[in-house]
Amino acid sequence: HWEDKKEAYIRRRLNVGFTNEVARGPGVVREFFQKVMEGFLRDSRFFEFKPQLRTYWPHPDADLEFSRQGYRAIGVLMGKALGVEQVLFPACFPTLLYDRLLHFLGSPLAKQELGLEDLSQ
């Protein structure tokens, strides 16, 4: 479980490889995170695409206990990708989500306080 992992363990760099492929390095790590995020976005239990906003939002009908663990896993993976591996994701989530990830990672770029305009996205 993600909750049991120490922060130092989560912040370690990944060594990723795919079955029957010899490639290693940053390109493979980027592909790994891309495939993982595509899987979470396709799983309708977590996210719902809002065409008018062109972003994915947490699914309003998600099972709370299942979702809590899943969203935590997604947050850890995104934080690891952005903060440790320096892998960028397409802007498919609300800006507020990215800001909260930056805040969690201790970035000076994160907003310290949120306003109504942040929530109205």
Side-chain angles (χ1 to χ4, degrees), residues 48-101:
E48 174 179 66
F49 185 70
K50 302 281 186 177
Q52 69 277 20
L53 301 172
R54 296 182 9 209
T55 54
Y56 287 90
W57 288 77
H59 199 288
D61 298 328
D63 175 272
L64 187 58
E65 191 55 38
F66 171 78
S67 296
R68 184 172 288 137
Q69 293 175 6
Y71 289 129
R72 169 110 171 114
I74 293 166
V76 168
L77 285 168
M78 287 185 70
K80 187 169 188 62
L82 295 169
V84 179
E85 304 293 343
Q86 299 178 349
V87 172
L88 299 178
F89 289 115
C92 62
F93 293 109
T95 307
L96 178 63
L97 176 79
Y98 294 107
D99 182 71
R100 293 299 81 197
L101 277 171

